[in-house]
Amino acid sequence: MCSQTMVIWDLDGTITDSRQCIISSYRYAARMCGLPEPSEELLSTMMCGGLQEHMRMIFGKVGEEADILSGHFSRYYAEHYLQEARMFPLFPEVFDILEKRGVVQAVATMNREEVAVGVLSEMGIADRFVHIAGADEKGEITKTQMIRDCVSGGDFSRILMVGDCPSDRRAAENAGVEFVAAAYGYGYSREECGRDSIMCMVTTDDLLGILEADP
């Protein structure tokens, strides 16, 4: 491994276990707009993807109404993230190990970029990443674009995207980078990854093994 290797991390479900904060944020948005609070069962299926699409799927709202709901969601998320979300046990140790091996790290998340930067700063890990790419207010920036933004300007011989959702995998493939499933997160299991021949990590050693193997 050398400094020309880059690992791009997803945030929710990959770096952090923020399931409860996501659920609470949707419910807060519903209350603020006078809408019925969605069930936990429904919201548990909304851990992956963008806010605008989820506002349509959960509340049937698009356009300006979806923007308002997304704004309330992002406000609650930013204000309560540190109380309701925790880094998975792998972190921050895995950041240290990769840094010592010269691996460049970045974040690509469907959270609003300013929110993601804020919460990562409050958690004391924002300076681990050369770039933190997130969604815009209108939800027009795709995760594929975010991955390309992270890579832009660098000369990397190998780039991996680590994420927990099928949408992360599609974005990585569209951006032309390798995908590693965070099989401890929301969307993938080690068994599923084995069945579908998807590279995956549950432990730090899993990721190091992938990085040390020929692509």
Side-chain angles (χ1 to χ4, degrees), residues 17-71:
D17 183 354
S18 50
R19 181 178 182 276
Q20 189 54 55
C21 189
I22 293 171
I23 289 172
S24 297
S25 297
Y26 280 121
R27 288 179 168 171
Y28 174 80
R31 291 195 301 273
M32 293 301 294
C33 292
L35 299 171
E37 292 187 29
S39 68
E40 184 165 340
E41 181 180 8
L42 172 61
L43 294 178
S44 67
T45 67
M46 299 292 163
M47 297 292 110
C48 300
L51 279 180
Q52 294 288 319
E53 178 65 9
H54 286 174
M55 296 312 176
R56 181 189 66 79
M57 295 171 67
I58 298 169
F59 303 108
K61 304 298 183 182
V62 296
E64 185 176 349
E65 290 181 304
D67 291 342
I68 293 170
L69 281 162
S70 296

Side-chain angles (χ1 to χ4, degrees), residues 8-18 22 47 77 81 85-88 91 95 106-113 115-117 119-120 123 125 129 132-133 143 161-164 168 182 184 186:
I8 303 171
W9 299 96
D10 176 48
L11 180 55
D12 291 306
T14 301
I15 294 176
T16 60
D17 183 354
S18 50
I22 293 171
M47 297 292 110
Y77 180 94
Y81 193 89
R86 296 288 183 272
M87 281 192 285
F88 282 106
F91 304 97
F95 297 144
V107 168
T109 172
M110 292 307 297
N111 286 299
R112 293 256 291 273
E113 186 166 309
V115 175
V117 171
V119 297
L120 290 169
M123 294 174 75
I125 58 174
F129 312 113
I132 298 170
K143 181 157 277 190
M161 164 71 190
V162 183
D164 65 299
D168 295 322
Y184 53 82
Y186 304 147

Side-chain angles (χ1 to χ4, degrees), residues 1 5 158 160 178 199 206-215:
M1 286 181 289
T5 298
R158 194 173 185 194
L160 289 80
E178 297 177 75
M199 291 190 297
D206 290 334
L207 180 59
L208 294 178
I210 291 168
L211 288 170
E212 289 167 354
D214 291 331

